[in-house]
Amino acid sequence: MVQSAILGFPRMGVNRDLKKATEAYWGGKISQADLLAEAKRLRLAHWKIQQDAGVDVIPSNDFALYDHVLNHIQDFGAVPPRYTKDGLDLVDQYFAMGRGHQKNGIDVPSLEMVKWFDSNYHYVKPTLQNGQTFKLADEPKAVAAFNEAKEAGIKTRPVLVGPVSFLHLGKADRDQTVDPIDLLDALLPVYEQLLVKLKEAGAETVQIDEPTLVFDLPAKSKAAFKPAYEKFASLGDKIPKLVFTTYFGDIVHNLDVLPKDVYAVHVDLVRNPEQLDEVIGALGPKTILSAGVVDGRNIWKTNFKRAIETVETAVQKLGKDRVIAATSSSLLHTPHTLASEKKLDAEIADWFSFASEKAVEIATIAKAVTEGPAAVREQLEANAKSLQARASSSRTNDPKVKDRQSKVTEADYKRKSEFPTRISLQQKKLNLPLFPTTTIGSFPQTKEIRLQRNRFTKGEITEAEYDKFIEKEIEENVKIQEELDLDVFVHGEPERNDMVQFFGERLNGYTFTTHAWVQSYGSRCVRPPIIVGDISRPAPMTVKESKYAVSISKKPMKGMLTGPVTCLRWSFPRDDVHQSVQAEQLALALRDEVVDLQNAGVGVIQVDEPALREGLPLRAGKERTAYLDWAVKAFRLSTAGVEDDTQIHSHFCYSEFQDFFHAIAALDADVLSIENSKSDAKLLKVFVDEAYPRHIGPGVYDIHSPRVPSEQEIKDRIQEMLAHLKPEQLWIDPDCGLKTRQWKETKEALVNLVNAAKAFRAQYSK
Ligand SMILES: Nc1nc2c(c(=O)[nH]1)N[C@@H](CNc1ccc(C(=O)N[C@@H](CCC(=O)N[C@@H](CCC(=O)N[C@@H](CCC(=O)O)C(=O)O)C(=O)O)C(=O)O)cc1)CN2
Ligand SMILES: [Zn+2]
């Protein structure tokens, strides 16, 4: 029979229960025992959902209190010494690595956190030492979770990040020179012990995630697969059978290192259906194919007909016992359940499927193949009807939008003059000092702000009352910035629930949800709005607040928008229209907003594109070139409508600019602010090597953690930057927006930032 399998389930719970519990624990409101009990309750609830849906293979150890890669860092004894020296207990040590720890005389920043492949999820980077040794934890989380499920009568398949991916996704610690992949021999014994323990606990199979196989790997990483999996093969029955799992791309270019003697190989056939034949051809003689046919990254109902055909194609070649029907990746990237959405238009809701619904889908698909379509006739018919209704719905199509797109010309992508002309006009108007200071946009989203917004959403206060409240917040933000003596102000974004959802709620062509939360990092979640049709702007979206902010401040005020590519990437996009078309529609809507802001007296406008880098196709080549072309064009289309003396800023909070520099330069933004504080100034080198001519503010401190950087630390950062950049092109700012921070630490950090900038200003204007 064809089994159904899920590669991972969202962790937050139906009401973001995990978020609430971890934040309550951090805030000292619940005990560690309470937190762990809540986590246990959630794991069990999530296994039950999958069991009730009829899923055959249910994952365990996909759960994490903060991040699953961080779980491995701790369980493998790969904790950098700065987190072990203070004697924190294991849970607090774990959170210290995730978010830093500054309490009772202990002061450690967090480990670096970066994007998980091309998703909006972030993982904690394994951060390794020269001569790193590994040691398996006394109670590895994978074993504990397996046993926990077993006690509840549920047999699960533990999930591990594989050794090659664990190392490849890691890095050498600051001042260390080790190439992580060289640590393979040191690491493998820990996997062996862990796999043996899982086998002893009763695990028959283990899902071993090696998604790095989808990359163009450096030779050393690629060569590491063979010894690693030969080692596992040599352990025979002492360890569970391995399901070698890849996702988010095709593995055709790396088939020469695909292990032949693993029990099963999983591939993502939603992203890359075309790899099916070649992968089958490269399987070992007994290896099972796990076919990823239900999308782990989007919320559209699965096309049953197509998914079943794909699985059947595999069955024809391999037989029913050598095929598993699975989700394409973990369902981590999808919301918990559609059942929570009480306000969605019924017509549109019928097009969606969230994690809990996908569990039913994958079980249905497996059943259809095993028992024949008659066994699930009703489900197949209902599915075909939904898909047909969506395809023919008038709500997806807007001829006016298409007409405007057809009229875009080359001139629309270009500013009136080149940068040197623009910057001198801007300088005349703005009159900024050397090393101008600014922030990235948002100020703390306080409990009070959320509460008032919640009351407004529920109709407990009127729009006028809510607007008044927001004005008061803006006023307060301006006052604080005056006191801090920053140079370019922001209004603070108090009116925004999220930088993407806010725009989704104001654009035609979008729909949005009330409960469809997806984990972004740690306890932080996003509610991606859903693009269902052609996009247009019915009315200005941000002008009211920015105009008000301008009217009450003596210093230049920066308007704040989310760029077209980021709006696209952090939404659930349509799957029936190419992403470039959706980006262009967003760009045209934003272009009107940019011009409206300028005409309302906003002289500096920041168009954030933090997701531009994350959208870069994972492999170099034609696809990447094409992406960069349309993504850069979308940004330029959204910003090029302004006069020369309007200063366009853009912001990027994900580093790794090496393979990406030319695209950033091609945006032609007057000022860039980029995340830098954790990347050891190395990333700046590319800006020097390429003689980047425009202005740039590499972040001087990490905002993801409540830790306050000292003035000296910030000065050291600035000094490092000056080794690479000219004083007249340097701006001083934090790494990213401050919405997740408390006011206390925000003010303290910004005081230090402004003082550091002033010290350099004094030094350089002598
Ligand atoms: N979309 C997106 N992706 C991104 C980022 C981003 O800002 N947006 N930033 C980067 C890092 N990721 C981040 C992701 C989320 C958050 C974040 O702060 N999320 C908030 C939720 C933001 C939000 O939508 N807030 C809503 C709803 C708030 C809420 O929980 N309301 C309560 C009720 C109010 C209360 O009493 O608190 C409820 O609904 O139950 C609002 O402010 O209106 C959180 O998890 O806490 C920050 C950074 C990368 N990716
Ligand atoms: Zn940012």
Side-chain angles (χ1 to χ4, degrees):
M1 76 178 254
V2 171
Q3 290 199 315
S4 56
I6 287 183
L7 268 50
F9 201 78
R11 306 159 183 154
M12 282 293 150
V14 64
N15 288 312
R16 285 181 299 161
D17 315 70
L18 181 60
K19 171 194 177 64
K20 290 170 190 166
T22 43
E23 290 180 357
Y25 174 68
W26 297 334
K29 296 196 182 78
I30 64 169
S31 69
Q32 199 177 98
D34 292 339
L35 170 65
L36 298 180
E38 178 66 348
K40 181 170 177 176
R41 183 186 72 78
L42 288 169
R43 285 190 290 267
L44 190 63
H46 300 165
W47 289 323
K48 282 248 155 70
I49 289 170
Q50 299 171 76
Q51 189 180 45
D52 292 347
V55 175
D56 300 307
V57 181
I58 297 171
S60 60
N61 200 41
D62 52 337
F63 186 86
L65 286 174
Y66 199 91
D67 163 50
H68 57 280
V69 181
L70 182 55
N71 285 11
H72 290 69
I73 293 175
Q74 196 173 45
D75 279 355
F76 294 167
V79 178
R82 55 189 174 280
Y83 301 99
T84 55
K85 69 175 178 15
D86 295 310
L88 292 172
D89 70 59
L90 284 177
V91 172
D92 288 340
Q93 178 196 72
Y94 176 87
F95 287 134
M97 288 189 278
R99 59 196 293 271
H101 191 107
Q102 202 173 35
K103 211 161 65 184
N104 306 331
I106 303 175
D107 184 1
V108 275
S110 57
L111 290 176
E112 188 182 5
M113 195 174 62
V114 292
K115 291 274 162 153
W116 181 244
F117 294 77
D118 58 355
S119 78
N120 196 5
Y121 178 77
H122 306 61
Y123 75 97
V124 176
K125 233 172 163 28
T127 302
L128 304 159
Q129 317 299 318
N130 296 348
Q132 174 81 50
T133 55
F134 299 95
K135 181 177 176 297
L136 188 64
D138 294 335
E139 291 174 50
K141 296 178 213 346
V143 180
F146 180 82
N147 284 332
E148 195 177 286
K150 194 169 70 179
E151 274 159 34
I154 300 171
K155 179 141 221 186
T156 57
R157 183 171 78 185
V159 185
L160 299 178
V161 174
V164 181
S165 294
F166 180 81
L167 293 173
H168 184 80
L169 295 172
K171 63 164 188 182
D173 206 347
R174 247 171 199 264
D175 309 322
Q176 301 289 298
T177 51
V178 64
D179 182 351
I181 204 71
D182 289 339
L183 297 167
L184 185 70
D185 285 345
L187 180 60
L188 286 179
V190 170
Y191 274 88
E192 177 178 343
Q193 284 169 29
L194 178 55
L195 289 166
V196 168
K197 279 198 177 196
L198 285 168
K199 175 80 181 202
E200 284 165 4
E204 284 167 20
T205 57
V206 161
Q207 172 185 324
I208 192 151
D209 283 4
E210 292 283 16
T212 49
L213 199 71
V214 309
F215 288 136
D216 287 316
L217 287 170
K220 253 163 110 181
S221 297
K222 187 166 169 174
F225 282 102
K226 208 163 171 288
Y229 286 84
E230 277 175 2
K231 171 77 194 164
F232 295 148
S234 76
L235 299 172
D237 283 347
K238 281 200 289 194
I239 64 168
K241 297 181 280 188
L242 299 182
V243 180
F244 182 96
T245 300
T246 67
Y247 36 80
F248 304 153
D250 78 87
I251 57 169
V252 169
H253 53 297
N254 283 328
L255 285 176
D256 49 333
V257 294
L258 186 70
K260 295 270 184 213
D261 36 23
V262 287
Y263 165 74
V265 167
H266 175 88
V267 285
D268 185 338
L269 297 175
V270 172
R271 278 276 182 104
N272 295 91
E274 77 290 344
Q275 67 180 323
L276 180 61
D277 284 351
E278 275 178 279
V279 171
I280 289 179
L283 293 178
K286 290 191 196 139
T287 305
I288 288 174
L289 180 80
S290 169
V293 292
V294 167
D295 196 352
R297 292 284 297 271
N298 211 333
I299 48 68
W300 301 104
K301 250 182 199 174
T302 303
N303 183 328
F304 276 176
K305 185 165 172 291
R306 201 187 312 146
I308 291 167
E309 273 167 17
T310 304
V311 179
E312 273 174 347
T313 307
V315 166
Q316 274 157 23
K317 300 209 166 138
L318 298 166
K320 275 188 189 166
D321 294 330
R322 277 183 68 199
V323 178
I324 296 173
T327 56
S328 66
S329 66
S330 166
L331 298 175
L332 179 67
H333 314 281
T334 62
H336 188 93
T337 176
L338 191 55
S340 297
E341 299 304 324
K342 310 287 186 219
K343 290 194 180 150
L344 271 184
D345 180 294
E347 180 192 351
I348 290 177
D350 182 51
W351 305 343
F352 301 153
S353 170
F354 297 173
S356 303
E357 293 74 38
K358 284 173 192 278
V360 177
E361 286 188 342
I362 197 63
T364 308
I365 290 165
K367 193 166 178 191
V369 179
T370 302
E371 298 175 24
V376 289
R377 172 140 300 131
E378 250 174 65
Q379 289 94 314
L380 297 188
E381 280 170 8
N383 179 268
K385 223 170 116 196
S386 302
L387 264 74
Q388 177 55 38
R390 178 177 165 215
S392 58
S393 170
S394 60
R395 314 212 13 190
T396 59
N397 182 26
D398 184 345
K400 283 208 287 296
V401 174
K402 297 208 169 74
D403 181 55
R404 185 166 177 202
Q405 285 183 286
S406 72
K407 292 185 179 133
V408 172
T409 68
E410 281 304 311
D412 295 335
Y413 299 115
K414 285 215 182 80
R415 295 286 296 269
K416 294 193 170 61
S417 308
E418 297 296 320
F419 176 71
T421 310
R422 296 188 325 242
I423 195 75
S424 71
L425 290 170
Q426 291 161 15
Q427 189 51 25
K428 220 173 270 161
K429 187 162 112 184
L430 301 170
N431 205 11
L432 296 169
L434 205 53
F435 304 111
T437 55
T438 190
T439 58
I440 307 304
S442 56
F443 278 131
Q445 283 271 331
T446 58
K447 187 102 202 107
E448 177 67 7
I449 295 179
R450 299 221 160 127
L451 195 77
Q452 294 301 339
R453 180 157 43 250
N454 198 18
R455 292 180 66 197
F456 171 51
T457 315
K458 284 194 191 140
E460 292 169 12
I461 57 172
T462 64
E463 186 165 350
E465 284 168 322
Y466 181 65
D467 287 353
K468 196 92 224 130
F469 169 77
I470 293 294
E471 278 193 359
K472 208 178 84 274
E473 289 291 320
I474 294 174
E475 225 172 279
E476 184 65 18
N477 289 341
V478 169
K479 210 173 98 220
I480 292 169
Q481 293 174 89
E482 267 161 14
E483 281 162 15
L484 287 165
D485 203 21
L486 285 153
D487 300 308
V488 173
F489 289 4
V490 295
H491 76 288
E493 306 178 26
E495 77 286 11
R496 305 188 188 177
N497 46 13
D498 171 74
M499 61 186 286
V500 171
Q501 199 189 352
F502 174 84
F503 291 95
E505 289 171 359
R506 280 156 186 79
L507 289 165
N508 292 334
Y510 264 103
T511 193
F512 46 92
T513 63
T514 53
H515 290 73
W517 294 97
V518 177
Q519 185 179 13
S520 180
Y521 69 90
S523 71
R524 295 287 169 178
C525 300
V526 294
R527 226 171 349 165
I530 304 170
I531 305 178
V532 295
D534 292 330
I535 298 158
S536 61
R537 185 189 75 144
M541 305 180 280
T542 65
V543 175
K544 185 172 66 184
E545 288 82 6
S546 279
K547 201 171 163 178
Y548 176 70
V550 168
S551 78
I552 58 167
S553 41
K554 299 186 198 78
K555 296 232 186 138
M557 175 62 63
K558 201 159 52 159
M560 202 59 56
L561 300 172
T562 304
V565 182
T566 300
C567 280
L568 174 71
R569 297 284 319 172
W570 291 353
S571 302
F572 287 118
R574 296 168 75 166
D575 60 355
D576 57 342
V577 167
H578 196 272
Q579 297 210 352
S580 60
V581 177
Q582 301 174 64
E584 189 180 61
Q585 295 176 352
L586 283 159
L588 288 168
L590 287 162
R591 182 182 178 94
D592 295 345
E593 187 73 12
V594 169
V595 171
D596 283 352
L597 278 173
Q598 168 187 270
N599 296 344
V602 185
V604 183
I605 301 168
Q606 179 173 311
V607 178
D608 294 325
E609 280 291 24
L612 193 67
R613 171 64 183 79
E614 140 204 331
L616 194 66
L618 297 172
R619 295 180 53 206
K622 272 206 301 269
E623 227 191 303
R624 213 180 247 195
T625 319
Y627 166 78
L628 287 175
D629 181 60
W630 64 254
V632 168
K633 275 187 170 156
F635 179 88
R636 295 181 64 129
L637 185 58
S638 68
T639 50
V642 293
E643 300 300 326
D644 284 340
D645 65 356
T646 295
Q647 188 166 72
I648 297 288
H649 289 221
S650 188
H651 163 70
F652 298 84
C653 34
Y654 299 98
S655 9
E656 301 187 44
F657 287 108
Q658 284 75 5
D659 50 0
F660 185 56
F661 176 81
H662 294 281
I664 298 274
L667 300 177
D668 200 23
D670 299 308
V671 183
L672 292 179
S673 60
I674 61 174
E675 174 187 320
N676 173 63
S677 73
K678 287 209 200 157
S679 310
D680 316 346
K682 260 183 276 173
L683 100 104
L684 295 181
K685 196 171 168 301
V686 61
F687 286 87
V688 195
D689 293 348
E690 306 280 344
Y692 185 73
R694 294 185 282 276
H695 285 196
I696 175 167
V700 294
Y701 77 92
D702 173 30
I703 55 78
H704 290 105
S705 145
R707 189 179 168 274
V708 175
S710 69
E711 186 180 322
Q712 190 55 47
E713 240 173 282
I714 297 177
K715 282 183 180 158
D716 293 347
R717 288 297 161 137
I718 299 176
Q719 196 62 55
E720 272 176 358
M721 290 168 193
L722 283 168
H724 300 290
L725 298 164
K726 298 194 199 77
E728 57 278 11
Q729 68 182 150
L730 196 56
W731 286 60
I732 310 298
D733 48 25
D735 259 0
C736 185
L738 297 159
K739 60 191 160 205
T740 60
R741 299 275 56 85
Q742 307 285 322
W743 266 116
K744 183 175 177 304
E745 72 236 21
T746 299
K747 285 186 192 165
E748 287 172 15
L750 290 178
V751 165
N752 294 347
L753 178 146
V754 171
N755 286 340
K758 283 183 177 169
F760 279 90
R761 202 174 288 161
Q763 189 186 329
Y764 274 79
S765 47
K766 267 189 212 139

